[in-house]
Amino acid sequence: MTVIGAGVIGLSCAWRAAQAGLRVTVFDPAPSSGASWVAGGMLAPVTEAWPGEEELLELGEAAVRAWPAFAAELESAAGRPAGLRTDGTVVAATGSGDRAELDTLATFLGRLGRDVQRLSGRELRRLEPALGPDVRGGLSVPSDLAVDNRVLLAALRVAAERAGARVVEQPVRAVLDDGEQVTGVRTDGGDVESDLVLVAAGAHSAALHPALDGLVRPVKGEILRIAHRAGAFPPPQRTVRALVDGRPVYVVPRDDGGLVIGATQAELGFDTQVTVGGVRDLLRDAERILPGIAEYALVESAAGLRPGSPDNLPLIGALGPHGLLVATGHHRNGMLLAPVSADAVLALLRGGAVPEPVRAADPARFSMVRR
Ligand code: GLY
């Protein structure tokens, strides 16, 4: 089996496939880079969901339930941490318009029976003293998780390789087929034969086979990494999401006291330059919520390309010629959906049924529209 892409999805699928006994080769010119390297690592389906996205919420909820076992298994397979954090999320609002949006979100989630508590600004500050006085109220979502994306990627690569997968640092330019059946991949080093190819190349997926044309597009996101310095106010324990005058911002803690601040969102093709405006917006909004970060060190700025799909659900399943599988289009949810994506791909490889909530991600939903 050939896997194109060594990001969180490609590596998770490669690990599962190699565990199941397949001979797996993963191609990626820069393994563990791209959107997976830049990700904040929120595993937070509840606070990412909006009315109208119930299928994505169901999928995300299944994924968050799968995460603790996935992380435990990965840690034991890789012999190193998987990077999971279990501290939950708080959602903070500043202006009255922001609070109205949170009310809508809380009502929607309450109707779905989700574990969400509405809290005043004072109650939120009792949970997270780092929150500033501009926070007027919000939500606590204790069941949300988070993962250190870079710790995770390292563990996945080790686990995949220990299970027998081979990672080849070369780009794949195209998936080859004879009209009915996949025959291989075109790499810079020549054509490589394969009758089973999984496209997990994130925002770069669409160019690899005509069946993916128009189904995956790059959605740029910029992040900052900041680090606590001696004497500065301690960082929050929980992931903090906020609406600041209608603009979303999130701050995800790391075990070393660092924070990831994200993320901008813009559709600018394959542009990965960090902009002055992006950095300004992220810092201004994060500082409004967590004033103490002004004393932190700014250690990194980066941009990644989320793989957007037409309906925000990923594409997981068979598509086009026989032997072509795809696990891409995860948009804002690649980290979150990695365990369920890999399980679904494994089910397909075994000729079984894809688990229920992942069926909504069947790429056939677009073939039907095109016919
Ligand atoms: N899931 C966070 C982001 O895409 O920015």
Side-chain angles (χ1 to χ4, degrees), residues 300-322:
E300 185 182 335
S301 62
L305 300 171
R306 306 176 183 92
S309 78
D311 58 5
N312 290 340
L313 273 167
L315 299 139
I316 304 170
L319 182 69
H322 191 69

Side-chain angles (χ1 to χ4, degrees), residues 43-78:
L43 307 176
V46 172
T47 45
E48 285 274 30
W50 281 99
E53 293 192 332
E54 280 81 356
E55 283 176 330
L56 183 59
L57 178 63
E58 285 304 318
L59 185 53
E61 287 283 290
V64 92
R65 282 194 299 273
W67 251 98
F70 179 80
E73 189 185 345
L74 178 60
E75 289 194 0
S76 112

Side-chain angles (χ1 to χ4, degrees), residues 16 60-72 84 145 336 338-340 343:
R16 287 295 189 223
E61 287 283 290
V64 92
R65 282 194 299 273
W67 251 98
F70 179 80
L84 189 66
L145 305 172
L336 172 66
V340 292
D343 285 349

Side-chain angles (χ1 to χ4, degrees), residues 11 15-16 19 69-83 150-164:
L11 287 174
W15 174 41
R16 287 295 189 223
Q19 261 184 333
F70 179 80
E73 189 185 345
L74 178 60
E75 289 194 0
S76 112
R80 54 191 297 155
R150 297 178 183 180
V151 172
L152 173 69
L153 288 165
L156 280 172
R157 180 156 179 184
V158 171
E161 289 181 328
R162 278 191 177 178

Side-chain angles (χ1 to χ4, degrees), residues 40-42 48 221 223 241 250 262-265 306 331-334:
M42 287 178 300
E48 285 274 30
I223 60 105
R241 296 187 58 110
Y250 56 79
T264 61
Q265 182 158 321
R306 306 176 183 92
H331 196 215
R332 300 180 64 93
N333 297 300

